[in-house]
Amino acid sequence: MTGVWVLLGTLVVAVAAGLLLKARNGRVRAAKPAATARPLPAPVAEALDPASAVTLVQISTTFCAPCRHTRVILSALAEKTDGLHHVDLDVTEQPEVAQALSVLRTPTTLALAADGRELLRVGGVPKGPELLAALQPHLTGIDAR
């Protein structure tokens, strides 16, 4: 009988963990003040577009299937939105970049201002309209092309 209770408890914990992870996937989070103060790694700093109000830096790895889906969403969003630029940074060969940015999973999307300040981040595949709504205060005159 004890084995049944252990199995039942394990299933409850697994379902709760799965629901928590699903709820957090793709959620837009505002940057923490400590994240905005730290210097950017060189590959990220070089990827910033000074002509754009916001640069979306997608942190990816080579064999990440959700990263491909994220790339499609962010590229389309950047193409149709003035002041928004998208860069996909593969950190497979440079894990120190992910470590410096406190990235624990791929894909992770960082929205960076032209001066390098982190505005927000998304862990997992972002939802385009939700991300655009969160970025709206940082973009001057959003205009669909």
Side-chain angles (χ1 to χ4, degrees):
M1 186 68 174
T2 304
V4 173
W5 287 111
V6 169
L7 178 63
L8 185 60
T10 303
L11 287 173
V12 168
V13 169
V15 167
L19 290 173
L20 178 66
L21 288 174
K22 184 175 181 180
R24 292 184 57 159
N25 189 39
R27 189 182 67 172
V28 176
R29 294 177 302 162
K32 297 176 184 169
T36 60
R38 68 175 166 233
L40 293 174
V44 177
E46 293 166 4
L48 287 177
D49 181 12
S52 297
V54 177
T55 300
L56 297 175
V57 179
Q58 176 186 339
I59 308 297
S60 302
T61 51
T62 304
F63 299 106
C64 169
C67 294
R68 290 187 280 279
H69 189 205
T70 299
R71 186 178 309 115
V72 170
I73 292 170
L74 297 180
S75 294
L77 201 59
E79 285 177 14
K80 69 178 184 176
T81 307
D82 288 332
L84 192 60
H85 179 69
H86 170 245
V87 176
D88 186 3
L89 187 61
D90 188 335
V91 296
T92 304
E93 301 295 326
Q94 351 177 32
E96 66 279 356
V97 173
Q99 184 179 12
L101 296 170
S102 301
V103 171
L104 301 176
R105 66 184 280 199
T106 58
T108 294
T109 303
L110 305 174
L112 302 174
D115 63 1
R117 285 179 301 114
E118 182 178 327
L119 305 171
L120 55 91
R121 72 171 50 203
V122 180
V125 179
K127 296 165 187 72
E130 185 179 310
L131 179 59
L132 189 58
L135 289 173
Q136 194 164 9
H138 305 287
L139 297 170
T140 53
I142 290 182
D143 186 27
R145 290 183 205 159

